[in-house]
mmCIF file of all heavy atoms in Angstrom:
data_model
loop_
_atom_site.group_PDB
_atom_site.id
_atom_site.type_symbol
_atom_site.label_atom_id
_atom_site.label_comp_id
_atom_site.label_asym_id
_atom_site.label_seq_id
_atom_site.Cartn_x
_atom_site.Cartn_y
_atom_site.Cartn_z
ATOM 1 N N LEU A 5 -31.940 -14.067 -65.407
ATOM 2 C CA LEU A 5 -31.933 -15.284 -64.600
ATOM 3 C C LEU A 5 -32.178 -16.487 -65.488
ATOM 4 O O LEU A 5 -32.844 -16.395 -66.535
ATOM 5 C CB LEU A 5 -33.011 -15.236 -63.513
ATOM 6 C CG LEU A 5 -32.887 -14.175 -62.417
ATOM 7 C CD1 LEU A 5 -34.016 -14.345 -61.392
ATOM 8 C CD2 LEU A 5 -31.535 -14.234 -61.723
ATOM 9 N N TYR A 6 -31.636 -17.619 -65.052
ATOM 10 C CA TYR A 6 -31.878 -18.915 -65.694
ATOM 11 C C TYR A 6 -32.476 -19.824 -64.631
ATOM 12 O O TYR A 6 -31.846 -20.085 -63.596
ATOM 13 C CB TYR A 6 -30.559 -19.493 -66.219
ATOM 14 C CG TYR A 6 -30.677 -20.871 -66.828
ATOM 15 C CD1 TYR A 6 -31.141 -21.043 -68.121
ATOM 16 C CD2 TYR A 6 -30.303 -21.999 -66.100
ATOM 17 C CE1 TYR A 6 -31.245 -22.303 -68.693
ATOM 18 C CE2 TYR A 6 -30.404 -23.268 -66.655
ATOM 19 C CZ TYR A 6 -30.871 -23.413 -67.956
ATOM 20 O OH TYR A 6 -30.980 -24.665 -68.506
ATOM 21 N N ILE A 7 -33.683 -20.291 -64.856
ATOM 22 C CA ILE A 7 -34.387 -21.099 -63.867
ATOM 23 C C ILE A 7 -33.921 -22.548 -63.973
ATOM 24 O O ILE A 7 -34.044 -23.182 -65.018
ATOM 25 C CB ILE A 7 -35.914 -21.022 -64.067
ATOM 26 C CG1 ILE A 7 -36.380 -19.560 -64.008
ATOM 27 C CG2 ILE A 7 -36.625 -21.856 -63.002
ATOM 28 C CD1 ILE A 7 -36.052 -18.844 -62.718
ATOM 29 N N ILE A 8 -33.370 -23.056 -62.876
ATOM 30 C CA ILE A 8 -32.893 -24.443 -62.818
ATOM 31 C C ILE A 8 -33.886 -25.329 -62.088
ATOM 32 O O ILE A 8 -34.272 -26.387 -62.580
ATOM 33 C CB ILE A 8 -31.517 -24.509 -62.131
ATOM 34 C CG1 ILE A 8 -30.476 -23.721 -62.940
ATOM 35 C CG2 ILE A 8 -31.073 -25.967 -61.956
ATOM 36 C CD1 ILE A 8 -29.136 -23.576 -62.238
ATOM 37 N N ASP A 9 -34.320 -24.897 -60.920
ATOM 38 C CA ASP A 9 -35.175 -25.729 -60.060
ATOM 39 C C ASP A 9 -36.370 -24.903 -59.569
ATOM 40 O O ASP A 9 -36.332 -24.347 -58.459
ATOM 41 C CB ASP A 9 -34.361 -26.250 -58.875
ATOM 42 C CG ASP A 9 -35.161 -27.163 -57.954
ATOM 43 O OD1 ASP A 9 -36.362 -27.388 -58.220
ATOM 44 O OD2 ASP A 9 -34.581 -27.639 -56.956
ATOM 45 N N PRO A 10 -37.437 -24.808 -60.363
ATOM 46 C CA PRO A 10 -38.587 -23.995 -59.939
ATOM 47 C C PRO A 10 -39.245 -24.512 -58.664
ATOM 48 O O PRO A 10 -39.742 -23.718 -57.859
ATOM 49 C CB PRO A 10 -39.530 -24.057 -61.137
ATOM 50 C CG PRO A 10 -39.108 -25.269 -61.912
ATOM 51 C CD PRO A 10 -37.647 -25.386 -61.712
ATOM 52 N N ARG A 11 -39.252 -25.837 -58.474
ATOM 53 C CA ARG A 11 -39.826 -26.383 -57.248
ATOM 54 C C ARG A 11 -39.044 -25.889 -56.025
ATOM 55 O O ARG A 11 -39.621 -25.496 -55.018
ATOM 56 C CB ARG A 11 -39.798 -27.908 -57.306
ATOM 57 C CG ARG A 11 -40.297 -28.652 -56.068
ATOM 58 C CD ARG A 11 -41.804 -28.536 -55.887
ATOM 59 N NE ARG A 11 -42.196 -27.391 -55.074
ATOM 60 C CZ ARG A 11 -43.368 -26.784 -55.196
ATOM 61 N NH1 ARG A 11 -44.256 -27.184 -56.089
ATOM 62 N NH2 ARG A 11 -43.662 -25.745 -54.432
ATOM 63 N N GLY A 12 -37.728 -25.906 -56.135
ATOM 64 C CA GLY A 12 -36.900 -25.428 -55.041
ATOM 65 C C GLY A 12 -37.095 -23.950 -54.769
ATOM 66 O O GLY A 12 -37.064 -23.505 -53.611
ATOM 67 N N ILE A 13 -37.286 -23.153 -55.832
ATOM 68 C CA ILE A 13 -37.519 -21.717 -55.667
ATOM 69 C C ILE A 13 -38.835 -21.477 -54.928
ATOM 70 O O ILE A 13 -38.892 -20.693 -53.965
ATOM 71 C CB ILE A 13 -37.526 -21.018 -57.041
ATOM 72 C CG1 ILE A 13 -36.134 -21.068 -57.661
ATOM 73 C CG2 ILE A 13 -38.015 -19.569 -56.910
ATOM 74 C CD1 ILE A 13 -36.079 -20.608 -59.107
ATOM 75 N N LEU A 14 -39.894 -22.148 -55.342
ATOM 76 C CA LEU A 14 -41.190 -21.977 -54.684
ATOM 77 C C LEU A 14 -41.122 -22.426 -53.225
ATOM 78 O O LEU A 14 -41.675 -21.772 -52.334
ATOM 79 C CB LEU A 14 -42.260 -22.756 -55.444
ATOM 80 C CG LEU A 14 -42.601 -22.235 -56.844
ATOM 81 C CD1 LEU A 14 -43.502 -23.220 -57.574
ATOM 82 C CD2 LEU A 14 -43.264 -20.861 -56.770
ATOM 83 N N ASP A 15 -40.426 -23.525 -52.974
ATOM 84 C CA ASP A 15 -40.286 -24.007 -51.589
ATOM 85 C C ASP A 15 -39.541 -22.994 -50.735
ATOM 86 O O ASP A 15 -39.871 -22.783 -49.557
ATOM 87 C CB ASP A 15 -39.552 -25.345 -51.564
ATOM 88 C CG ASP A 15 -40.415 -26.498 -52.081
ATOM 89 O OD1 ASP A 15 -41.641 -26.321 -52.167
ATOM 90 O OD2 ASP A 15 -39.838 -27.556 -52.405
ATOM 91 N N ALA A 16 -38.518 -22.356 -51.310
ATOM 92 C CA ALA A 16 -37.742 -21.378 -50.561
ATOM 93 C C ALA A 16 -38.608 -20.214 -50.100
ATOM 94 O O ALA A 16 -38.385 -19.641 -49.028
ATOM 95 C CB ALA A 16 -36.578 -20.864 -51.409
ATOM 96 N N PHE A 17 -39.611 -19.858 -50.901
ATOM 97 C CA PHE A 17 -40.512 -18.765 -50.555
ATOM 98 C C PHE A 17 -41.750 -19.253 -49.795
ATOM 99 O O PHE A 17 -42.655 -18.475 -49.526
ATOM 100 C CB PHE A 17 -40.944 -18.012 -51.809
ATOM 101 C CG PHE A 17 -39.905 -17.064 -52.348
ATOM 102 C CD1 PHE A 17 -39.010 -17.477 -53.321
ATOM 103 C CD2 PHE A 17 -39.820 -15.768 -51.863
ATOM 104 C CE1 PHE A 17 -38.045 -16.604 -53.817
ATOM 105 C CE2 PHE A 17 -38.863 -14.882 -52.352
ATOM 106 C CZ PHE A 17 -37.967 -15.301 -53.333
ATOM 107 N N GLY A 18 -41.778 -20.547 -49.465
ATOM 108 C CA GLY A 18 -42.895 -21.083 -48.704
ATOM 109 C C GLY A 18 -44.169 -21.245 -49.499
ATOM 110 O O GLY A 18 -45.264 -21.267 -48.921
ATOM 111 N N ILE A 19 -44.056 -21.389 -50.815
ATOM 112 C CA ILE A 19 -45.231 -21.566 -51.675
ATOM 113 C C ILE A 19 -45.338 -23.047 -52.014
ATOM 114 O O ILE A 19 -44.598 -23.564 -52.858
ATOM 115 C CB ILE A 19 -45.117 -20.723 -52.959
ATOM 116 C CG1 ILE A 19 -44.964 -19.240 -52.602
ATOM 117 C CG2 ILE A 19 -46.331 -20.937 -53.856
ATOM 118 C CD1 ILE A 19 -44.682 -18.348 -53.784
ATOM 119 N N ASP A 20 -46.243 -23.758 -51.340
ATOM 120 C CA ASP A 20 -46.319 -25.205 -51.512
ATOM 121 C C ASP A 20 -47.581 -25.670 -52.215
ATOM 122 O O ASP A 20 -47.791 -26.886 -52.364
ATOM 123 C CB ASP A 20 -46.203 -25.899 -50.148
ATOM 124 C CG ASP A 20 -47.263 -25.427 -49.158
ATOM 125 O OD1 ASP A 20 -48.178 -24.679 -49.560
ATOM 126 O OD2 ASP A 20 -47.152 -25.799 -47.973
ATOM 127 N N ASP A 21 -48.421 -24.720 -52.666
ATOM 128 C CA ASP A 21 -49.669 -25.142 -53.310
ATOM 129 C C ASP A 21 -49.616 -25.019 -54.831
ATOM 130 O O ASP A 21 -50.634 -25.102 -55.503
ATOM 131 C CB ASP A 21 -50.858 -24.336 -52.766
ATOM 132 C CG ASP A 21 -50.733 -22.837 -53.022
ATOM 133 O OD1 ASP A 21 -49.614 -22.379 -53.354
ATOM 134 O OD2 ASP A 21 -51.753 -22.129 -52.891
ATOM 135 N N ILE A 22 -48.410 -24.810 -55.389
ATOM 136 C CA ILE A 22 -48.221 -24.792 -56.844
ATOM 137 C C ILE A 22 -47.389 -25.997 -57.228
ATOM 138 O O ILE A 22 -46.262 -26.174 -56.747
ATOM 139 C CB ILE A 22 -47.533 -23.500 -57.317
ATOM 140 C CG1 ILE A 22 -48.389 -22.270 -56.998
ATOM 141 C CG2 ILE A 22 -47.238 -23.567 -58.819
ATOM 142 C CD1 ILE A 22 -47.737 -20.952 -57.375
ATOM 143 N N ALA A 23 -47.953 -26.852 -58.071
ATOM 144 C CA ALA A 23 -47.231 -28.027 -58.568
ATOM 145 C C ALA A 23 -46.502 -27.667 -59.859
ATOM 146 O O ALA A 23 -47.005 -26.879 -60.668
ATOM 147 C CB ALA A 23 -48.211 -29.174 -58.812
ATOM 148 N N VAL A 24 -45.304 -28.257 -60.056
ATOM 149 C CA VAL A 24 -44.492 -27.965 -61.239
ATOM 150 C C VAL A 24 -44.028 -29.268 -61.861
ATOM 151 O O VAL A 24 -43.489 -30.135 -61.172
ATOM 152 C CB VAL A 24 -43.260 -27.106 -60.895
ATOM 153 C CG1 VAL A 24 -42.492 -26.746 -62.163
ATOM 154 C CG2 VAL A 24 -43.661 -25.850 -60.142
ATOM 155 N N THR A 25 -44.233 -29.392 -63.172
ATOM 156 C CA THR A 25 -43.681 -30.525 -63.922
ATOM 157 C C THR A 25 -42.981 -29.988 -65.160
ATOM 158 O O THR A 25 -43.330 -28.919 -65.671
ATOM 159 C CB THR A 25 -44.771 -31.522 -64.336
ATOM 160 O OG1 THR A 25 -45.755 -30.846 -65.140
ATOM 161 C CG2 THR A 25 -45.443 -32.133 -63.118
ATOM 162 N N GLU A 26 -41.984 -30.730 -65.634
ATOM 163 C CA GLU A 26 -41.229 -30.319 -66.817
ATOM 164 C C GLU A 26 -41.228 -31.441 -67.836
ATOM 165 O O GLU A 26 -41.005 -32.617 -67.507
ATOM 166 C CB GLU A 26 -39.777 -29.972 -66.451
ATOM 167 C CG GLU A 26 -38.934 -29.581 -67.654
ATOM 168 C CD GLU A 26 -37.471 -29.323 -67.306
ATOM 169 O OE1 GLU A 26 -37.117 -29.472 -66.113
ATOM 170 O OE2 GLU A 26 -36.688 -29.008 -68.225
ATOM 171 N N THR A 27 -41.475 -31.101 -69.095
ATOM 172 C CA THR A 27 -41.424 -32.047 -70.204
ATOM 173 C C THR A 27 -40.748 -31.379 -71.379
ATOM 174 O O THR A 27 -41.266 -30.404 -71.942
ATOM 175 C CB THR A 27 -42.835 -32.509 -70.614
ATOM 176 O OG1 THR A 27 -43.513 -33.052 -69.478
ATOM 177 C CG2 THR A 27 -42.756 -33.569 -71.706
ATOM 178 N N ASP A 28 -39.560 -31.880 -71.744
ATOM 179 C CA ASP A 28 -38.832 -31.377 -72.911
ATOM 180 C C ASP A 28 -38.651 -29.863 -72.874
ATOM 181 O O ASP A 28 -38.833 -29.159 -73.878
ATOM 182 C CB ASP A 28 -39.548 -31.770 -74.207
ATOM 183 C CG ASP A 28 -39.614 -33.279 -74.404
ATOM 184 O OD1 ASP A 28 -38.679 -33.968 -73.961
ATOM 185 O OD2 ASP A 28 -40.604 -33.751 -74.987
ATOM 186 N N GLY A 29 -38.276 -29.336 -71.725
ATOM 187 C CA GLY A 29 -38.005 -27.914 -71.617
ATOM 188 C C GLY A 29 -39.217 -27.028 -71.451
ATOM 189 O O GLY A 29 -39.086 -25.802 -71.363
ATOM 190 N N GLN A 30 -40.396 -27.614 -71.407
ATOM 191 C CA GLN A 30 -41.631 -26.876 -71.155
ATOM 192 C C GLN A 30 -42.110 -27.193 -69.742
ATOM 193 O O GLN A 30 -42.007 -28.337 -69.284
ATOM 194 C CB GLN A 30 -42.702 -27.247 -72.183
ATOM 195 C CG GLN A 30 -42.381 -26.799 -73.609
ATOM 196 C CD GLN A 30 -42.451 -25.285 -73.763
ATOM 197 O OE1 GLN A 30 -43.431 -24.667 -73.361
ATOM 198 N NE2 GLN A 30 -41.418 -24.706 -74.370
ATOM 199 N N PHE A 31 -42.642 -26.193 -69.077
ATOM 200 C CA PHE A 31 -43.032 -26.331 -67.680
ATOM 201 C C PHE A 31 -44.538 -26.145 -67.543
ATOM 202 O O PHE A 31 -45.118 -25.234 -68.141
ATOM 203 C CB PHE A 31 -42.306 -25.308 -66.825
ATOM 204 C CG PHE A 31 -40.813 -25.482 -66.806
ATOM 205 C CD1 PHE A 31 -40.025 -24.946 -67.819
ATOM 206 C CD2 PHE A 31 -40.201 -26.189 -65.782
ATOM 207 C CE1 PHE A 31 -38.653 -25.109 -67.806
ATOM 208 C CE2 PHE A 31 -38.829 -26.360 -65.764
ATOM 209 C CZ PHE A 31 -38.055 -25.820 -66.781
ATOM 210 N N THR A 32 -45.149 -27.012 -66.745
ATOM 211 C CA THR A 32 -46.569 -26.900 -66.423
ATOM 212 C C THR A 32 -46.707 -26.596 -64.941
ATOM 213 O O THR A 32 -46.188 -27.335 -64.097
ATOM 214 C CB THR A 32 -47.325 -28.193 -66.758
ATOM 215 O OG1 THR A 32 -47.182 -28.477 -68.152
ATOM 216 C CG2 THR A 32 -48.805 -28.044 -66.429
ATOM 217 N N LEU A 33 -47.379 -25.491 -64.644
ATOM 218 C CA LEU A 33 -47.635 -25.097 -63.265
ATOM 219 C C LEU A 33 -49.129 -25.234 -63.004
ATOM 220 O O LEU A 33 -49.950 -24.767 -63.798
ATOM 221 C CB LEU A 33 -47.196 -23.653 -63.006
ATOM 222 C CG LEU A 33 -45.693 -23.416 -62.772
ATOM 223 C CD1 LEU A 33 -44.901 -23.635 -64.052
ATOM 224 C CD2 LEU A 33 -45.444 -22.016 -62.228
ATOM 225 N N THR A 34 -49.461 -25.867 -61.892
ATOM 226 C CA THR A 34 -50.866 -26.118 -61.558
ATOM 227 C C THR A 34 -51.134 -25.674 -60.132
ATOM 228 O O THR A 34 -50.350 -25.963 -59.215
ATOM 229 C CB THR A 34 -51.204 -27.614 -61.699
ATOM 230 O OG1 THR A 34 -50.875 -28.043 -63.018
ATOM 231 C CG2 THR A 34 -52.679 -27.855 -61.423
ATOM 232 N N ARG A 35 -52.243 -24.969 -59.986
ATOM 233 C CA ARG A 35 -52.686 -24.532 -58.662
ATOM 234 C C ARG A 35 -54.203 -24.657 -58.615
ATOM 235 O O ARG A 35 -54.902 -23.967 -59.349
ATOM 236 C CB ARG A 35 -52.265 -23.094 -58.395
ATOM 237 C CG ARG A 35 -52.478 -22.637 -56.952
ATOM 238 C CD ARG A 35 -52.280 -21.151 -56.859
ATOM 239 N NE ARG A 35 -52.020 -20.688 -55.506
ATOM 240 C CZ ARG A 35 -52.172 -19.432 -55.125
ATOM 241 N NH1 ARG A 35 -52.583 -18.504 -56.004
ATOM 242 N NH2 ARG A 35 -51.918 -19.074 -53.878
ATOM 243 N N ASN A 36 -54.681 -25.552 -57.784
ATOM 244 C CA ASN A 36 -56.113 -25.862 -57.735
ATOM 245 C C ASN A 36 -56.581 -26.258 -59.136
ATOM 246 O O ASN A 36 -56.035 -27.178 -59.722
ATOM 247 C CB ASN A 36 -56.896 -24.684 -57.164
ATOM 248 C CG ASN A 36 -56.472 -24.346 -55.744
ATOM 249 O OD1 ASN A 36 -56.151 -25.244 -54.963
ATOM 250 N ND2 ASN A 36 -56.455 -23.067 -55.413
ATOM 251 N N ASP A 37 -57.525 -25.542 -59.721
ATOM 252 C CA ASP A 37 -58.035 -25.891 -61.050
ATOM 253 C C ASP A 37 -57.385 -25.065 -62.153
ATOM 254 O O ASP A 37 -57.756 -25.174 -63.322
ATOM 255 C CB ASP A 37 -59.560 -25.675 -61.101
ATOM 256 C CG ASP A 37 -60.308 -26.604 -60.162
ATOM 257 O OD1 ASP A 37 -59.822 -27.736 -59.953
ATOM 258 O OD2 ASP A 37 -61.359 -26.194 -59.627
ATOM 259 N N ASP A 38 -56.409 -24.257 -61.792
ATOM 260 C CA ASP A 38 -55.757 -23.377 -62.768
ATOM 261 C C ASP A 38 -54.427 -23.989 -63.188
ATOM 262 O O ASP A 38 -53.660 -24.468 -62.343
ATOM 263 C CB ASP A 38 -55.543 -21.999 -62.147
ATOM 264 C CG ASP A 38 -55.264 -20.930 -63.192
ATOM 265 O OD1 ASP A 38 -55.337 -21.240 -64.395
ATOM 266 O OD2 ASP A 38 -54.973 -19.786 -62.788
ATOM 267 N N SER A 39 -54.136 -23.945 -64.487
ATOM 268 C CA SER A 39 -52.906 -24.538 -64.996
ATOM 269 C C SER A 39 -52.382 -23.709 -66.163
ATOM 270 O O SER A 39 -53.161 -23.182 -66.965
ATOM 271 C CB SER A 39 -53.150 -25.983 -65.456
ATOM 272 O OG SER A 39 -51.956 -26.581 -65.908
ATOM 273 N N VAL A 40 -51.037 -23.578 -66.242
ATOM 274 C CA VAL A 40 -50.410 -22.853 -67.350
ATOM 275 C C VAL A 40 -49.216 -23.643 -67.846
ATOM 276 O O VAL A 40 -48.575 -24.377 -67.094
ATOM 277 C CB VAL A 40 -49.963 -21.436 -66.926
ATOM 278 C CG1 VAL A 40 -51.158 -20.564 -66.572
ATOM 279 C CG2 VAL A 40 -48.969 -21.490 -65.769
ATOM 280 N N ASN A 41 -48.901 -23.492 -69.132
ATOM 281 C CA ASN A 41 -47.737 -24.109 -69.758
ATOM 282 C C ASN A 41 -46.821 -22.998 -70.261
ATOM 283 O O ASN A 41 -47.265 -22.106 -71.008
ATOM 284 C CB ASN A 41 -48.153 -25.007 -70.930
ATOM 285 C CG ASN A 41 -49.015 -26.161 -70.481
ATOM 286 O OD1 ASN A 41 -48.616 -26.954 -69.632
ATOM 287 N ND2 ASN A 41 -50.218 -26.255 -71.037
ATOM 288 N N VAL A 42 -45.555 -23.041 -69.875
ATOM 289 C CA VAL A 42 -44.635 -21.961 -70.214
ATOM 290 C C VAL A 42 -43.268 -22.520 -70.586
ATOM 291 O O VAL A 42 -42.898 -23.626 -70.184
ATOM 292 C CB VAL A 42 -44.475 -20.973 -69.035
ATOM 293 C CG1 VAL A 42 -45.766 -20.211 -68.775
ATOM 294 C CG2 VAL A 42 -44.017 -21.697 -67.767
ATOM 295 N N SER A 43 -42.516 -21.716 -71.348
ATOM 296 C CA SER A 43 -41.123 -22.037 -71.627
ATOM 297 C C SER A 43 -40.268 -21.662 -70.422
ATOM 298 O O SER A 43 -40.745 -21.048 -69.465
ATOM 299 C CB SER A 43 -40.650 -21.253 -72.857
ATOM 300 O OG SER A 43 -40.652 -19.861 -72.572
ATOM 301 N N ARG A 44 -38.985 -21.985 -70.473
ATOM 302 C CA ARG A 44 -38.099 -21.643 -69.371
ATOM 303 C C ARG A 44 -37.995 -20.118 -69.206
ATOM 304 O O ARG A 44 -37.990 -19.599 -68.083
ATOM 305 C CB ARG A 44 -36.706 -22.240 -69.591
ATOM 306 C CG ARG A 44 -35.819 -22.173 -68.337
ATOM 307 C CD ARG A 44 -34.444 -22.758 -68.614
ATOM 308 N NE ARG A 44 -34.517 -24.133 -69.042
ATOM 309 C CZ ARG A 44 -34.551 -25.189 -68.230
ATOM 310 N NH1 ARG A 44 -34.547 -25.003 -66.921
ATOM 311 N NH2 ARG A 44 -34.593 -26.410 -68.718
ATOM 312 N N GLN A 45 -37.919 -19.391 -70.323
ATOM 313 C CA GLN A 45 -37.855 -17.937 -70.238
ATOM 314 C C GLN A 45 -39.156 -17.364 -69.687
ATOM 315 O O GLN A 45 -39.147 -16.437 -68.859
ATOM 316 C CB GLN A 45 -37.559 -17.336 -71.621
ATOM 317 C CG GLN A 45 -36.177 -17.668 -72.171
ATOM 318 C CD GLN A 45 -36.170 -18.931 -73.015
ATOM 319 O OE1 GLN A 45 -36.971 -19.847 -72.806
ATOM 320 N NE2 GLN A 45 -35.265 -18.989 -73.991
ATOM 321 N N GLU A 46 -40.296 -17.880 -70.128
ATOM 322 C CA GLU A 46 -41.580 -17.413 -69.602
ATOM 323 C C GLU A 46 -41.723 -17.754 -68.123
ATOM 324 O O GLU A 46 -42.324 -16.985 -67.355
ATOM 325 C CB GLU A 46 -42.726 -18.023 -70.405
ATOM 326 C CG GLU A 46 -42.831 -17.496 -71.821
ATOM 327 C CD GLU A 46 -43.814 -18.292 -72.666
ATOM 328 O OE1 GLU A 46 -44.017 -19.500 -72.372
ATOM 329 O OE2 GLU A 46 -44.370 -17.717 -73.627
ATOM 330 N N LEU A 47 -41.158 -18.872 -67.718
ATOM 331 C CA LEU A 47 -41.188 -19.250 -66.307
ATOM 332 C C LEU A 47 -40.425 -18.233 -65.458
ATOM 333 O O LEU A 47 -40.866 -17.873 -64.353
ATOM 334 C CB LEU A 47 -40.588 -20.644 -66.127
ATOM 335 C CG LEU A 47 -40.523 -21.188 -64.699
ATOM 336 C CD1 LEU A 47 -41.918 -21.283 -64.091
ATOM 337 C CD2 LEU A 47 -39.837 -22.549 -64.681
#
């Protein structure tokens, strides 16, 4: 798979408490006080 729109994917599954931002091909996912930084493949 190639992830194009992670926000749209999470919304499709009804997951609205995970925030997603992208900077230069790296993605930051945040949920409450937990946060991770991943590449597109890791995402």
Side-chain angles (χ1 to χ4, degrees):
L5 295 183
Y6 176 80
I7 303 301
I8 298 172
D9 182 359
R11 177 71 270 153
I13 293 171
L14 292 171
D15 287 344
F17 282 93
I19 302 173
D20 57 8
D21 61 345
I22 298 177
V24 184
T25 58
E26 178 184 1
T27 305
D28 297 328
Q30 293 290 310
F31 297 84
T32 301
L33 280 70
T34 304
R35 190 191 199 199
N36 299 324
D37 296 328
D38 197 5
S39 182
V40 295
N41 297 303
V42 293
S43 65
R44 192 181 301 273
Q45 294 91 331
E46 291 170 333
L47 179 60

